[in-house]
Amino acid sequence: MDRSSLPGGVRGDPAQLIHRALDFKTQGAQCYKDKKYREAIGKYHRALLELKGLPGEQDRAGDGQEPRLTEEQRRAAESVEVDCYNSLAGGWRSSSACLLQAELVNYERVKEYCLKVLKKEGENFKALYRSGVAFYHLGDYDKALFYLKEAKSRQPTDTNVIRYIQLAEMKLSRCSQREKELS
């Protein structure tokens, strides 16, 4: 149910919504540690749903008033959002977390979540690396290489990044060879 459809358009106090979102994010992290991946995904999604109830730019009053979120609340909400999308997309260094732990990885969704993180934090190493991995597995080796090289520029010795760069370059090389053979 959309929070804005509640009686009187009540969405809840922003501080309470952020607190609940943080609680769900924390519960998601615990579920992940306990290897309850499906439950962790649910908790991260619940956290994101709580954040959707926060006032945004569309909630400005017609008289030019500022949105009802303080700068501190806005930063806290953004931090929870980025952490949730990052946690949903994949794990740190081990190439595993919620979606990457699934038997059949939904790389389209991993890509979607990582790109959301990169819109807010363009330098985020985890999101750059995971975007590269997702694009690689989706068969878009040029984009994979772009994101992986961006990740490598931030952590030049990361062996997972280096390995995926090599894999993407090999795939591109094979594609190039096939094109030459066909022409």
Side-chain angles (χ1 to χ4, degrees):
M1 168 166 49
D2 180 36
R3 291 182 191 280
S4 61
S5 67
L6 293 173
V10 175
R11 293 173 179 235
D13 174 50
Q16 290 176 339
L17 291 171
I18 293 167
H19 180 74
R20 283 196 305 261
L22 188 56
D23 283 348
F24 281 121
K25 182 193 88 144
T26 302
Q27 291 170 24
Q30 185 58 52
C31 289
Y32 176 75
K33 286 178 187 170
D34 295 341
K35 298 187 184 325
K36 297 176 182 175
Y37 304 119
R38 188 176 298 275
E39 209 174 311
I41 289 170
K43 297 294 184 183
Y44 290 129
H45 279 288
R46 287 286 306 271
L48 292 167
L49 284 172
E50 290 294 331
L51 295 177
K52 291 210 183 290
L54 291 172
E57 291 298 310
Q58 71 277 10
D59 295 320
R60 287 181 184 263
D63 59 6
Q65 286 183 330
E66 292 299 311
R68 294 180 305 190
L69 287 182
T70 65
E71 183 61 23
E72 182 181 346
Q73 289 172 328
R74 189 196 59 74
R75 281 195 310 268
E78 190 170 290
S79 174
V80 170
E81 181 182 28
V82 166
D83 288 349
C84 285
Y85 280 125
N86 247 339
S87 295
L88 281 164
W92 179 237
R93 294 204 186 265
S94 65
S95 295
S96 61
C98 294
L99 289 177
L100 291 179
Q101 284 289 357
E103 285 182 32
L104 293 173
V105 178
N106 185 339
Y107 286 107
E108 193 62 45
R109 180 139 325 142
V110 171
K111 176 188 83 172
E112 175 190 334
Y113 290 161
C114 288
L115 294 178
K116 284 184 179 192
V117 170
L118 291 172
K119 277 185 185 176
K120 294 184 182 275
E121 294 182 5
E123 304 279 312
N124 188 298
F125 172 78
K126 292 183 207 179
L128 288 167
Y129 167 66
R130 293 176 188 149
S131 292
V133 171
F135 277 112
Y136 173 84
H137 287 285
L138 291 169
D140 191 337
Y141 306 116
D142 287 318
K143 281 190 181 172
L145 216 46
F146 170 80
Y147 286 106
L148 291 165
K149 286 182 176 180
E150 285 294 312
K152 186 177 182 208
S153 73
R154 282 143 189 86
Q155 295 205 13
T157 59
D158 188 285
T159 56
N160 290 321
V161 173
I162 293 167
R163 180 171 51 97
Y164 267 101
I165 287 174
Q166 291 169 341
L167 289 170
E169 287 174 340
M170 285 190 322
K171 289 283 190 178
L172 284 170
S173 175
R174 285 186 194 147
C175 289
S176 175
Q177 285 175 346
R178 282 190 194 122
E179 287 175 10
K180 286 178 187 176
E181 291 170 2
L182 294 174
S183 50

